[in-house]
Amino acid sequence: MASTKLPVPRGLGPFVLNQSLLLVRVGWAYRSAPPRNWGARDFSTHSLLYNSPSSEQASATSAARSAEQPDSSKKSATSSSHVSIESHKPDWDENPDFNISAFSQLPHSDFGFNQHMIINHEFKEALRQILWQFRAPIRYAFAYGSGVFPQHAPSTSKPSSHPSPSPAIAKAQGGQGKMIDMIFGVSYTQHWHSLNLQQHRDHYSLLGSLGSGMVSRVQDRWGAGVYFNPYVTVNGTLIKYGVVNLDTLCKDLSEWDTLYLAGRLQKPVKILRDDPRVRLANQVNLISALRTALLLLPSSFDERQLYTTIANISYLGDPRIALRTENPQKIANIVSNQMANFRRLYAPLIDNLPNVTFKDSHSSSRHWEDDSTINATLNQDMDPVKRGNMVRRLPKSFREKLYFQYQSKFQIAQLDFDKMMQESSDETSTRIKRRQGGVFEQRVAGDTDGLKAEVSETIKKTIGWPSTSQTMKGLLTAGVRRSWRYLSEKGEKWREGRNKAREEHKAQASSPGPGEGQEKKDK
């Protein structure tokens, strides 16, 4: 059947043609940039792409890896070309917009995919079901700690702490039954506690009887701005959850004013409910942790050294270490058992820093990111200009403390120091400056003998008091009985770690050194 052409009114043809040409030009001008190839380090989208809340809820598959990516990304799961974190907006960490309210306002669609760790699908859904037991609105949530990411081989010698856990949780924990730690990000602190007190009054200590106003004041004004309810049972599972205001969380992630929650998110966690503003702030937090670690490391190092340095940031100045209420081998256990997760978290960021690269044949193999036995080597450029830029791009609150450390060390007069700080301010009344290191930052970066000590001291000063006051606040928020139980369990972990370290030391001392066994045979 012949097609019939519709008559075009006189004079409309040229108009339609001009508009079509205009649309073509606009489409070409705003075409999307081609995805950047990751090169040798082929981090597949199948394993790394984040899952938006809606896409994860809609996922019906039980395979953990495929459940971690949105449906729209599955068609490119086998592609070898991937979108770089910074390929669209390379200044996202220098000039982040924390006023965003939607994921579409992030620098690009794949932004922050490295933050989403892969765990068993059934286990993930069981953790999410816990969130649905709270009527108070939770905007952002993540689970962390040894209850989610085991730090040593499973042991069935201890009874389960959970009254009646789901089969998925029991299986994921290998029969250990450890309490699961969670953090809830909320928009309005007092309103949230008001609703939660009505529903879960038994979660609170006697402080809850004073009302949501007192609870929120204790949360926001003491310690690091977190209110913990430990040893509560939800869905038959024993959990500890901390409540934090989203503004407090984003400020700590972007500025490191306490490093209390920023330090937790520098290690692998399982995000159960995401928020665009927190995702942006946490990406700034992660690249800041990477830069800090690079300032503490030599020109050549391996992955284990890098991830151990990052994991150690949040434990410097932590009173639990000094009070012997934490396993002394905790950091080594975290890194040893989560090498693949640390790699997922930081390798994409390493790829986008100009002064550090992987120098290992292992990193050229496909899907090497899943192999926890690989410990790849890296090299960094020790050029003082590039390292000075890293100093300049440290989080604002933390950077100011470090500058004051060096003001004292370099004996800079206060007037000269104030003038230098004003000139290096991140923004003026008319514009936001690009954060480039100057002479002072290069001098700091060139302090090869003292930089590590000064940065470590700054970390301790940042963490010390907020962490100490947060621990003391626990006596009020958890109550005496729960606090004593918490300290007792932590003390037991410290003794177990100490005894294990002693056994390993004895085993090493009793084992023959190189050539000793042969010498005994010759005799």
Side-chain angles (χ1 to χ4, degrees), residues 45-61:
T45 54
H46 185 69
S47 63
L48 286 177
L49 280 176
Y50 68 83
N51 220 0
S52 64
S54 60
S55 65
E56 280 196 323
Q57 290 170 4
S59 177
T61 178

Side-chain angles (χ1 to χ4, degrees), residues 34-49:
R36 175 183 171 186
N37 196 307
W38 275 72
R41 293 193 302 283
D42 187 14
F43 283 79
S44 66
T45 54
H46 185 69
S47 63
L48 286 177
L49 280 176

Side-chain angles (χ1 to χ4, degrees), residues 97-228:
D97 180 11
F98 294 119
N99 294 318
I100 63 173
S101 58
F103 288 99
S104 59
Q105 294 174 295
L106 289 168
H108 55 83
S109 60
D110 295 326
F111 185 84
F113 69 88
N114 54 308
Q115 298 177 23
H116 286 258
M117 298 295 104
I118 300 168
I119 64 173
N120 176 269
H121 177 69
E122 288 76 15
F123 183 36
K124 175 189 66 180
E125 292 304 320
L127 295 177
R128 281 187 172 161
Q129 287 301 315
I130 292 175
L131 302 183
W132 289 110
Q133 306 309 309
F134 291 84
R135 289 198 292 268
I138 300 171
R139 290 280 303 278
Y140 179 83
F142 67 88
Y144 66 100
S146 58
V148 182
F149 301 99
Q151 297 174 10
H152 49 74
S155 173
T156 57
S157 58
K158 295 181 180 180
S160 173
S161 301
H162 307 304
S164 55
S166 69
I169 290 178
K171 182 180 179 181
Q173 293 191 336
Q176 288 184 302
K178 302 189 71 173
M179 181 172 68
I180 294 175
D181 298 331
M182 293 183 172
I183 294 292
F184 300 161
V186 304
S187 298
Y188 305 100
T189 306
Q190 184 172 349
H191 176 65
W192 196 92
H193 285 295
S194 176
L195 295 175
N196 201 46
L197 280 166
Q198 295 176 22
Q199 183 186 10
H200 298 298
R201 174 62 186 87
D202 58 313
H203 290 186
Y204 293 79
S205 64
L206 289 175
L207 190 64
S209 61
L210 300 179
S212 60
M214 178 59 70
V215 169
S216 62
R217 280 195 292 272
V218 170
Q219 172 183 322
D220 294 330
R221 297 181 184 180
W222 289 14
V226 189
Y227 191 102
F228 281 105

Side-chain angles (χ1 to χ4, degrees), residues 221-238:
R221 297 181 184 180
W222 289 14
V226 189
Y227 191 102
F228 281 105
N229 282 328
Y231 300 105
V232 299
T233 302
V234 180
N235 260 17
T237 304
L238 190 69

Side-chain angles (χ1 to χ4, degrees), residues 47-79:
S47 63
L48 286 177
L49 280 176
Y50 68 83
N51 220 0
S52 64
S54 60
S55 65
E56 280 196 323
Q57 290 170 4
S59 177
T61 178
S62 61
R65 293 176 69 87
S66 61
E68 288 300 322
Q69 65 181 71
D71 293 338
S72 61
S73 69
K74 291 180 182 178
K75 61 184 179 182
S76 61
T78 58
S79 173

Side-chain angles (χ1 to χ4, degrees), residues 242-257:
V243 183
V244 62
N245 188 279
L246 285 178
D247 292 336
T248 301
L249 175 59
C250 289
K251 183 179 180 182
D252 191 34
L253 291 173
S254 59
E255 298 185 13
W256 285 13
D257 57 341

